[in-house]
Amino acid sequence: MPAFDASSAFNAFNASDRPTLLLTGGSGVLGRALIEELAPGFRIVCLRHRTGVADPRVEEVPADLTQPRLGLSPSDLARLTADVDLVVHSAAATNWKAAPEAIWRANLDGTAAVLDLAARAEAPVYHVSTAFVANPLAPEEQRRFPGAAAYLASKTAAEQAVREAAVPTAILRPSVVMGDSRTGRIAGAQGLTRALGAIVKGQVPVLPGAPDARIDMVPQDVVARAVGELLRAGATGGEYWLTAGTQALSQGEVVDVCLEFAEGYGPRPHPPRLIPLESVHRLLLPLIEGPSFPESLRRRFHTYAELLLVFQRALPFDSSLGAPHCGTTVSRDDLRQALVRNLAAWSAGPGGLRRAPRASYGASSARRLAS
């Protein structure tokens, strides 16, 4: 499929007449970062479902991914068809507690509707998928975790629909999107953020997975910068892995960072015991699913098991970061620093530690971040 020359189109516009970019998922973690990255060069129109963006740089249009033609009014559909120059499809159903059929509707039918609108507008589509399509669940995992299974399968099917689209496309595969690498702030608490917070609080006695399993996380601004460069270069027809790759932290390293961070606020929590995945399936999950196990602990561990089964990986992902027009690479030290800043932002917010770090922690923490 020939590449859409967005770079020529982009340069043809001046600051007062910018190309129009249709963005879905603008209120999400990555969507907010994309607005920061793209607002200077594009006129952004966001499709809004439940949560508005409330950003003066953005025009919002009511829509619904699960409805025919995105639930757009005839006038909005006609206007977008006439005005849109390119599309970034970042919206997805990511709540694994939702019914599997609802996840499929949003992720596959929604993508098909976005592609149909793009075809009407003759606009290229940049589809935000997930690197974890490379982590298919085993049949036993699919039975125990139907939400995660539906998410991964629907994202895989959506990618195929994108490849078969009538317009130029690019598939973007970020891994876990963390908060900002400089401030640590994130638009909303994600499941993995809550799991890391529970480790800091010493509330996690066991975790599924080996210490050397990789947990691939990339800060939101790093992902957004790569997407911005791809758009401005007009890169289509490719699949881009927006991941840490070989630099991803291991699960053992992530736990150590959490425990070191907790030490700044009080005694170091007891480290969680890391249990091999085969033992999780054969012994631990059947045990906690029994009637004698406390319901609150059962729910918590089930959530952590679901997250970590999807988000950990024995081998590193491929990574496109640092390739031409695809942002910059991240080092293991970059990721450790970003994780500490993410924990600091979490600790100051709802559900965090809600207390100041010990006075002696500031200098030692600064030294660790600088090293």
Side-chain angles (χ1 to χ4, degrees):
M1 184 176 291
F4 170 77
D5 191 3
S7 57
S8 298
F10 182 80
N11 293 329
F13 289 86
N14 58 41
S16 62
D17 190 13
R18 299 165 296 171
T20 297
L21 183 152
L22 181 66
L23 174 65
T24 71
S27 62
V29 169
L30 181 57
R32 298 277 185 177
L34 287 171
I35 291 171
E36 288 297 323
E37 172 69 26
L38 300 173
F42 295 89
R43 172 180 168 251
I44 300 177
V45 179
C46 283
L47 298 187
R48 182 190 73 244
H49 187 205
R50 294 186 180 89
T51 305
V53 177
D55 188 317
R57 299 169 296 179
V58 168
E59 177 190 349
E60 298 188 61
V61 175
D64 185 343
L65 285 179
T66 66
Q67 297 299 314
R69 296 189 179 180
L70 300 169
L72 293 166
S73 69
S75 59
D76 283 337
L77 180 61
R79 182 168 62 89
L80 291 176
T81 298
D83 292 349
V84 167
D85 297 298
L86 65 167
V87 177
V88 177
H89 179 38
S90 179
T94 58
N95 179 6
W96 297 348
K97 295 180 182 178
E101 56 270 22
I103 295 173
W104 274 94
R105 277 200 306 274
N107 292 349
L108 182 57
D109 296 350
T111 297
V114 168
L115 292 170
D116 179 68
L117 189 154
R120 293 167 182 264
E122 299 182 349
V125 176
Y126 295 81
H127 173 69
V128 180
S129 183
T130 173
F132 298 99
V133 294
N135 273 18
L137 298 185
E140 176 66 13
E141 294 167 345
Q142 294 176 28
R143 183 187 69 78
R144 278 205 165 97
F145 306 112
Y151 172 75
L152 293 176
S154 63
K155 294 295 279 186
T156 300
E159 283 196 5
Q160 187 58 35
V162 170
R163 293 187 194 96
E164 297 170 355
V167 292
T169 61
I171 294 174
L172 316 174
R173 296 194 185 108
S175 55
V176 178
V177 180
M178 307 164 64
D180 189 89
S181 64
R182 298 151 298 188
T183 67
R185 290 194 291 270
I186 193 167
Q190 295 178 299
L192 192 59
T193 303
R194 289 189 288 269
L196 298 178
I199 295 172
V200 171
K201 291 180 174 181
Q203 297 174 341
V204 185
V206 293
L207 280 175
D212 58 354
R214 290 171 172 84
I215 307 293
D216 196 306
M217 300 181 287
V218 182
Q220 61 186 33
D221 52 310
V222 173
V223 175
R225 190 177 309 122
V227 175
E229 288 189 12
L230 289 168
L231 265 64
R232 290 185 286 267
T236 58
E239 299 177 2
Y240 301 89
W241 296 83
L242 309 184
T243 65
T246 58
Q247 297 301 301
L249 300 179
S250 69
Q251 180 161 248
E253 288 177 298
V254 170
V255 169
D256 286 344
V257 170
C258 291
L259 298 180
E260 288 175 17
F261 181 83
E263 269 191 293
Y265 292 80
R268 186 182 180 96
H270 188 74
R273 181 183 176 190
L274 302 181
I275 300 179
L277 292 183
E278 59 271 17
S279 297
V280 171
H281 287 300
R282 187 167 51 87
L283 301 173
L284 194 55
L285 285 173
L287 174 65
I288 68 169
E289 289 167 358
S292 62
F293 213 80
E295 177 62 25
S296 59
L297 193 55
R298 180 189 301 120
R299 287 198 305 268
R300 183 184 302 163
F301 187 82
H302 189 278
T303 297
Y304 298 160
E306 185 175 34
L307 285 168
L308 291 170
L309 285 170
V310 173
F311 290 161
Q312 65 179 266
R313 185 172 170 81
L315 298 175
F317 285 118
D318 291 333
S319 181
S320 304
L321 293 179
H325 311 304
C326 197
T328 56
T329 58
V330 289
S331 69
R332 183 172 271 102
D333 284 343
D334 293 334
L335 295 169
R336 286 180 67 92
Q337 293 177 27
L339 179 54
V340 171
R341 292 175 181 134
N342 274 241
L343 291 171
W346 161 81
S347 70
L353 297 175
R354 297 198 174 191
R355 59 183 184 273
R358 295 182 296 181
S360 61
Y361 179 69
S364 62
S365 176
R367 284 194 295 272
R368 282 199 296 270
L369 284 175
S371 64

